[in-house]
Amino acid sequence: QVQLVESGGGLVQAGGSLRLSCVASGRTQSIYAMAWYRQAPGKGREFVADIRWTAGDTAYEEAVKERFTISRDIAKNTVYLQMNSLKPEDTAVYFCASKPVGQARLSDWGQGTQVTVSS
């Protein structure tokens, strides 16, 4: 099992930037990929971005791909989400998650960090 702790959320004005961090601990050697999801009030959890832990390949949800950047620091067991040009519709709780090697689904989730973008 992998434990995940997010940080970096907060209140920012539209057009501003935030960088989220997610530190992994536990069975980190089993990580195949890490992802960021978000859940806005009254909505379901949606995919934001992911990154293959070793190869570094990335994928993004269409609405964020020109504004957000996912990256990782393997030595620090940390994944980041740099969010630029934030919009009020980016307001949500942001979660990181990990997918182990050999499994098709994300298996571990963090507790989430709130991002609020004011207009």
Side-chain angles (χ1 to χ4, degrees):
Q1 190 175 10
V2 175
Q3 292 78 46
L4 302 169
V5 179
E6 303 98 331
S7 62
L11 173 64
V12 64
Q13 289 189 330
S17 298
L18 283 174
R19 189 176 82 154
L20 306 184
S21 301
C22 174
V23 180
S25 60
R27 292 180 53 87
T28 58
Q29 69 276 15
S30 69
I31 296 174
Y32 172 76
M34 297 279 286
W36 286 97
Y37 278 68
R38 65 186 180 185
Q39 187 166 15
K43 296 188 177 181
R45 195 169 294 189
E46 67 172 4
F47 170 77
V48 176
D50 66 14
I51 185 167
R52 284 207 288 173
W53 194 241
T54 301
D57 299 11
T58 60
Y60 297 90
E61 192 269 330
E62 192 65 30
V64 309
K65 67 187 305 181
E66 300 298 325
R67 301 183 293 120
F68 292 7
T69 302
I70 189 171
S71 62
R72 87 283 192 239
D73 185 329
I74 295 175
K76 295 182 178 180
N77 289 324
T78 300
V79 63
Y80 304 98
L81 186 68
Q82 177 67 44
M83 305 186 295
N84 299 327
S85 301
L86 282 161
K87 304 176 181 180
E89 52 264 44
D90 295 318
T91 294
V93 178
Y94 284 70
F95 300 88
C96 72
S98 65
K99 179 187 293 186
V101 172
Q103 293 195 21
R105 293 187 173 185
L106 299 164
S107 64
D108 297 292
W109 292 81
Q111 82 290 348
T113 186
Q114 176 71 48
V115 171
T116 303
V117 184
S118 63
S119 58

